[in-house]
Amino acid sequence: MPEATMPAPRRSLAAQLLSYAIVGLASNLAGYLVYLLITHLGLGPKITMTVLYAVGAGIGFWGNRNLTFAHQESGLAVGVRYLLAHGCGYLINFALLYLLVDQWGWAHQIAQGLAIFVVAGFLFVSFKFFVFPGVNRSGAQTP
């Protein structure tokens, strides 16, 4: 008789936040190293930044799906939700820069520093409840 597979145990919010921070640091470090390598090989910074974003998002997807949220859903839907969350995060970042720098005259370094934390918070909530929602044994989503 085949053995029933049990869903992975849910992780506490604190454990998810810590894992999210570690995955973020790791993916940003990996992305920066890829950026240095590709620019060293002669590719321009703008094209390299495109590659950097794709690599960082890919590493972030794997890390957050598997390590932070222990999410087991497969298929296209989870990828689409991930891209939607990142698209919204980008728009939030852009809007903050426009408001804080262009409208209020803040230094862009401070505005971007603030935006990083705001977007990271938005993405964590989006990932937890929208991109990688929990599923209980009956198959229903849980917060």
Side-chain angles (χ1 to χ4, degrees):
M1 176 148 68
E3 189 175 309
T5 58
M6 300 299 285
R10 302 269 306 156
R11 298 178 69 201
S12 72
L13 179 60
Q16 288 177 335
L17 280 169
L18 178 61
S19 180
Y20 180 73
I22 292 169
V23 167
L25 289 172
S27 65
N28 284 318
L29 176 60
Y32 184 65
L33 293 174
V34 169
Y35 176 84
L36 291 176
L37 174 64
I38 293 173
T39 55
H40 177 74
L41 294 174
L43 201 58
K46 290 178 184 171
I47 294 172
T48 303
M49 182 51 86
T50 301
V51 172
L52 170 66
Y53 186 84
V55 169
I59 291 169
F61 178 80
W62 181 87
N64 284 307
R65 178 176 179 234
N66 295 306
L67 302 176
T68 302
F69 299 103
H71 190 74
Q72 298 177 359
E73 176 185 355
S74 61
L76 185 60
V78 70
V80 169
R81 292 191 310 260
Y82 184 78
L83 291 175
L84 285 171
H86 268 290
C88 290
Y90 173 81
L91 291 175
I92 290 168
N93 195 340
F94 187 88
L96 284 170
L97 288 177
Y98 174 76
L99 178 66
L100 298 175
V101 176
D102 297 342
Q103 298 298 310
W104 293 356
W106 287 28
H108 71 89
Q109 298 90 339
I110 294 170
Q112 183 59 39
L114 175 65
I116 288 169
F117 288 100
V118 171
V119 172
F122 166 79
L123 287 176
F124 178 80
V125 171
S126 295
F127 291 166
K128 181 168 180 59
F129 296 106
F130 176 65
V131 178
F132 307 116
V135 177
N136 65 25
R137 289 183 185 153
S138 69
Q141 290 186 353
T142 62

